[in-house]
Amino acid sequence: MLSSFLAWIVHTDYTFINVLTWINHILGIIMLVLYANQFVYIVLSIFVKPRRYKVAKTEHTYGYIICGRNEEKVIGNLIDSILKQDYPKEKMHIFVCADNCTDNTAKVAREAGAIVFEREDHIQVGKSYALNYTLDKIKNEYSELGIEAYILFDADNLVGKDFTKEMNKAYDQGYKVLAGFRDSKNFDDSWVSAGSSYMFYRECCQVHKVRSFFNTGSYVSGTGFLVDKSLVENGWNYHTLTEDIEFSADCAYKGIKIGYVYDAVFFDEQPTKLGDSIKQRLRWCKGNNQVFGRFGGKLLGGMFKRFTFQKWSMFTHTIPVPAISTIWLCIFQLAGGIYCLANHLPSDIYIKIILSAGLSTIFAPFVSCFIDAILLLIQTYKRTSGNFFKRFLYACGFVIFIAVYIPITVVALFKKNVTWKQIPHKDTRTIEKMTR
């Protein structure tokens, strides 16, 4: 088959290069259509202000759920920060699922003031199963607490003193799902933690902020989000590798608008080593592919029935176009190069037509990424630490951090045995030390 293909190339005229170029143009247009909104977020984030909510009429009752495995070093500080919030203590109930732990996570959590469930299940492994188990335990054993909504955290998080008060304002206005502001716990630890921090700062300072301003609905991302009790009455039934994105896609499909609370700040520990970050992002990419398999068709069909920007954004969020485009770019360069060599064409034909098209395809997104990094440097300057030169280098490193995503998306498309792998949390800072 390969020899037939090569023979066809040799005996063809410039039509072959024209075909390659046209396919490249078509894919470029598709990419532009699918991701133009990402560039719009960057521009609009400069001008729009964060959405604020009116003072709530009612102080609602919340259950805080923390699922963790071997998190004895950090979970006590999270529980302490929850209890130190400016919100009535009788309306806050903390539940911890010590999931397949071999350390003192359960003991530390109980001593800190949480209700603890210890789960042992080595078949259904992962946060989504632990969350489903915890919701079932609360429903059957603690229904008398009158919990109206759940707020989900990871064990390494810390919670700002106004988090629940600000969330309560938006919840009181009728939102069933809300995302908070994901600040960084360890921005200055390494260029990797800085790059990961900038990635989530981009979500909060640009994507969520703009979508919240126009009330188009957004998405939840891993931790620090609120879910109305009615939506999980039958448990947590999202078990892909990115259960948060799966839940967001389901909300978009069902027309449940996800809000965003800019002033509800929590702190999240980022990986400091590139290897850990790659493992984490490989799981995210694979999980997005799984979500697209489950909801891609539903969201696309749903847009024809009733278009919403939330459906469109979740469709584009999960479709594996970056991986497909990267594979095509390699094929484009290889096929064009073989054609030029086989037909003894001048090297400038390859350089001017094939190589230049490939370079421009790569160049444009990375220039945009660098501009965005500088903007994020400015937008988050009061939230980050280090001198200006160091922060500028971190912003430049963000471009490299994003570039690493390219091979990850391709690997995730083909690698089958991607599983959840724990990244150790070692940052023991308390909420008092996170005061800017």
Side-chain angles (χ1 to χ4, degrees), residues 17 21 346-358:
I17 284 187
T21 305
S347 59
D348 38 327
I349 295 294
Y350 173 76
I351 293 171
K352 289 179 180 179
I353 298 177
I354 304 297
L355 185 61
S356 62

Side-chain angles (χ1 to χ4, degrees), residues 353-389:
I353 298 177
I354 304 297
L355 185 61
S356 62
L359 290 175
S360 63
T361 302
I362 296 171
F363 185 71
F366 283 107
V367 169
S368 172
C369 184
F370 178 74
I371 294 171
D372 194 20
I374 300 304
L375 179 59
L376 285 169
L377 170 66
I378 297 168
Q379 290 177 329
T380 64
Y381 200 80
K382 292 182 179 179
R383 297 180 182 275
T384 57
S385 54
N387 59 50
F388 177 81
F389 180 70

Side-chain angles (χ1 to χ4, degrees), residues 111-123:
E111 291 176 351
I115 297 169
V116 179
F117 308 124
E118 297 186 55
R119 177 177 179 265
E120 291 289 338
D121 191 329
H122 299 286
I123 298 174

